[in-house]
Amino acid sequence: MRTPPQENEKIQPYSYGKGIFWILVFVILSLVPIGISLLGDVPDARDFWMEFGVALGFLGLGIMGSQFIFTGRLSRVAPTFGPDNIFHFHKTLGIVGFVFILAHPVILILNNSEFINYYNPVVNLPRAVALSVVTVAITFLILTSLWRVSFGLSYEKWRLLHGILALLVVFIGVAHAVQVSHYLDPLWKKALLSTALAGCGYFVIHTRLIRPWFNKKMPYEIMEVQSERHDSYTLVMKPRHGPKMQFISGQFAWITINETPFSLQQHPFTFSSSPDSDFISFTSKESGDFTETWKNIKPGTTAYLEGPFGSFTLMPTGNIFMVMGGIGVTPGISMLRTLKSRNDQRAVTLIYGSNDYENIVFREELDLLENDLNLNLVHLLMEPHEDWSGESGEVDKALLEKYLPEDKDACNYYLCGPGPMMDITELNLRELGVDWRLIYSERFKIV
Ligand SMILES: Cc1cc2nc3c(=O)[nH]c(=O)nc-3n(C[C@H](O)[C@H](O)[C@H](O)COP(=O)(O)OP(=O)(O)OC[C@H]3O[C@@H](n4cnc5c(N)ncnc54)[C@H](O)[C@@H]3O)c2cc1C
């Protein structure tokens, strides 16, 4: 017997209406600076290249400002798109904003060489310094985002730097527009532009300071650290007081393990427990400075959670076809645990790729779940032992075709694992006639 869907299961993650709405919001927000410049009395138009260069500056400023809203982990925006889509959107639009902002002075100077004086400290020292700083800052912002590792920046340092540089670019951009003033006379237009961009900048402060401050009132206590296969560890936690966080299987939360939620060490992890349990768990594979500390965490340690986020969620209806690899099984195990707790007997196929038999995370529990659920568990090993009779090698079209259900449209498809495995699976599923709107992907490596 399936229990009726919980209230939070009514979320429609792949709602196109919502998606289109937020894209429209983005377009409108990006046009706000241009819109303000065209309000009231507008000065006579100058030559085309002059006006085009100015328009790019305003547009670049609008695009940069609106990024604060879309990356602010807002509970209304984030579930619509999922983290990797938001990240790719942010990355692409960040590059577009960068090109527009840099094109602004280049076009003006090429059109009229007098504009080079904006960078001349002898003519106006504060202006020259501000414009030089913003040019270097935005270039550094983009370069360190594209090649963080080559710059030797840890994720945490990069994230701090990224926020500071972005705020600096927008702040100097607004100050420059106000100082030039051509399209921002009278004073109310300057005030309107400054308020609009300050409003966008507020989202950074909200994410970094105000939300952690609220989280501080909802500490969790780590009850147990369980050792798993494949150098992985599970943190089992409960709220120190009050109810635990409500989530849907497949979602994730940002975790801080510390006495303060203001730490830079805040990392995203998928819930590995079922929302029906009275505890919350996360399972991580050791991969760096944060995850390597998990095995030494003592019971009683405080953790803070921010979430839930993500649109990679167990749907209330429909059969399930999962292709997962390595630690990418965490959303899968959460979904299976939920199906078990709800005695949900819909058909599930899990193709689970691991390096070898010993490193199959949750191996014993998966075997048991196969008995309890209508689950077809297909282990796929990269390095199988000699007497292995199951599947081996990489996911390919033939393997997918072998296990795909006959009624492909009656199924939701969940992919989570190493990037190349997900790329090839996505491509092959579509070639095999699966409707792309039924495919849900979660990428753990987004930056
Ligand atoms: C939506 C989502 C869900 C995830 N769920 C799980 C899970 O259930 N189990 C699991 O083992 N891993 C999960 N991850 C990956 C996990 O967040 C990283 O492995 C972890 O942050 C690595 O931190 P580190 O300091 O130990 O390693 P590092 O060596 O510092 O980082 C290794 C890589 O992890 C990524 N990373 C590091 N810090 C962050 C951060 N704060 N935010 C985003 N990415 C970061 C970067 O790509 C980095 O190159 C998930 C990631 C995402 C985006």
Side-chain angles (χ1 to χ4, degrees):
M1 267 280 294
R2 288 189 55 205
T3 53
Q6 292 189 346
E7 179 132 359
N8 60 0
E9 283 183 339
K10 286 181 193 139
I11 295 172
Q12 293 295 318
Y14 272 68
S15 154
Y16 299 106
K18 267 198 208 171
I20 292 166
F21 170 78
W22 283 112
I23 286 169
L24 276 178
V25 170
F26 165 74
V27 171
I28 292 167
L29 285 173
S30 304
L31 293 173
V32 161
I34 282 201
I36 293 174
S37 75
L38 296 176
L39 289 176
D41 288 337
V42 179
D44 291 339
R46 297 157 294 183
D47 67 85
F48 170 80
W49 286 109
M50 175 87 190
E51 297 300 346
F52 183 63
V54 172
L56 286 186
F58 276 121
L59 199 52
L61 193 58
I63 291 174
M64 295 301 265
S66 60
Q67 296 305 303
F68 293 129
I69 297 176
F70 281 83
T71 52
R73 296 187 206 158
L74 299 181
S75 55
R76 289 187 188 280
V77 186
T80 312
F81 299 102
D84 47 346
N85 288 331
I86 290 186
F87 172 73
H88 285 293
F89 177 79
H90 175 54
K91 188 171 159 185
T92 310
L93 268 298
I95 294 171
V96 173
F98 164 72
V99 170
F100 283 9
I101 286 182
L102 281 196
H104 165 67
V106 171
I107 291 175
L108 293 185
I109 292 168
L110 287 177
N111 187 49
N112 179 351
S113 55
E114 293 274 301
F115 277 105
I116 197 79
N117 283 328
Y118 273 63
Y119 285 92
N120 187 342
V122 179
V123 177
N124 184 331
L125 182 65
R127 183 176 68 188
V129 170
L131 294 185
S132 304
V133 166
V134 80
T135 309
V136 172
I138 195 169
T139 308
F140 202 55
L141 180 75
I142 294 295
L143 294 183
T144 50
S145 303
L146 294 178
W147 295 287
R148 170 178 72 81
V149 180
S150 309
F151 277 88
L153 286 169
S154 70
Y155 181 84
E156 292 74 30
K157 285 193 185 130
W158 167 79
R159 196 161 69 132
L160 180 67
L161 183 74
H162 193 74
I164 292 172
L165 289 177
L167 281 172
L168 187 71
V169 166
V170 171
F171 176 76
I172 296 180
V174 173
H176 170 62
V178 165
Q179 188 261 328
V180 172
S181 183
H182 183 74
Y183 276 107
L184 294 178
D185 239 359
L187 185 64
W188 65 264
K189 285 172 88 172
K190 297 183 179 70
L192 199 56
L193 182 78
S194 309
T195 310
L197 270 302
C200 293
Y202 165 78
F203 284 94
V204 178
I205 295 164
H206 187 87
T207 308
R208 303 282 173 242
L209 297 177
I210 296 177
R211 208 171 300 137
W213 185 75
F214 278 113
N215 278 347
K216 197 166 169 48
K217 296 178 183 164
M218 293 178 278
Y220 279 73
E221 179 179 344
I222 296 175
M223 317 300 293
E224 198 186 346
V225 182
Q226 294 165 351
S227 173
E228 311 281 1
R229 293 177 177 278
H230 196 37
D231 299 326
S232 303
Y233 294 87
T234 295
L235 298 184
V236 181
M237 56 184 82
K238 280 186 174 179
R240 284 201 190 272
H241 49 78
K244 72 176 177 57
M245 184 179 281
Q246 294 295 306
F247 65 93
I248 308 175
S249 282
Q251 286 189 304
F252 70 96
W254 292 83
I255 310 180
T256 314
I257 297 171
N258 218 318
E259 291 308 318
T260 164
F262 297 100
S263 168
L264 278 176
Q265 283 279 14
Q266 198 195 29
H267 296 254
F269 287 91
T270 304
F271 296 92
S272 55
S273 52
S274 154
D276 302 334
S277 343
D278 59 357
F279 59 86
I280 282 180
S281 74
F282 300 95
T283 304
S284 164
K285 161 138 179 54
E286 289 189 328
S287 63
D289 51 348
F290 179 66
T291 44
E292 276 166 12
T293 63
W294 282 32
K295 58 176 172 287
N296 297 321
I297 292 173
K298 300 271 173 285
T301 302
T302 301
Y304 295 95
L305 306 185
E306 185 185 330
F309 294 109
S311 53
F312 189 88
T313 49
L314 177 64
M315 289 292 150
T317 53
N319 293 332
I320 296 171
F321 189 87
M322 301 195 254
V323 181
M324 300 186 157
I327 198 63
V329 76
T330 50
I333 194 78
S334 172
M335 290 183 192
L336 295 176
R337 285 169 172 168
T338 302
L339 295 179
K340 184 182 170 195
S341 72
R342 298 180 187 177
N343 193 17
D344 186 330
Q345 291 298 324
R346 67 178 103 171
V348 184
T349 301
L350 168 59
I351 299 182
Y352 181 26
S354 304
N355 190 53
D356 52 64
Y357 190 67
E358 284 312 308
N359 281 305
I360 300 175
V361 189
F362 304 121
R363 192 180 80 199
E364 291 76 6
E365 186 177 351
L366 286 170
D367 286 345
L368 293 174
L369 284 166
E370 212 179 359
N371 299 329
D372 295 328
L373 299 173
N374 183 5
L375 168 65
N376 182 15
L377 176 62
V378 182
H379 284 300
L380 175 68
L381 301 183
M382 285 298 286
E383 293 174 20
H385 46 260
E386 268 179 16
D387 48 355
W388 175 249
S389 57
E391 301 290 353
S392 59
E394 295 181 354
V395 181
D396 59 17
K397 204 176 198 170
L399 180 93
L400 293 170
E401 198 165 16
K402 184 169 164 189
Y403 292 103
L404 268 183
E406 266 181 30
D407 188 357
K408 297 190 186 81
D409 291 339
C411 211
N412 288 303
Y413 299 78
Y414 297 94
L415 320 182
C416 188
M421 174 186 182
M422 292 178 65
D423 293 342
I424 200 78
T425 307
E426 261 171 29
L427 188 77
N428 282 324
L429 284 179
R430 291 173 74 159
E431 282 181 9
L432 288 165
V434 171
D435 182 343
W436 64 272
R437 290 168 299 182
L438 297 173
I439 303 176
Y440 296 81
S441 298
E442 186 80 292
R443 287 171 195 265
F444 284 179
K445 196 163 172 54
I446 52 175
V447 281

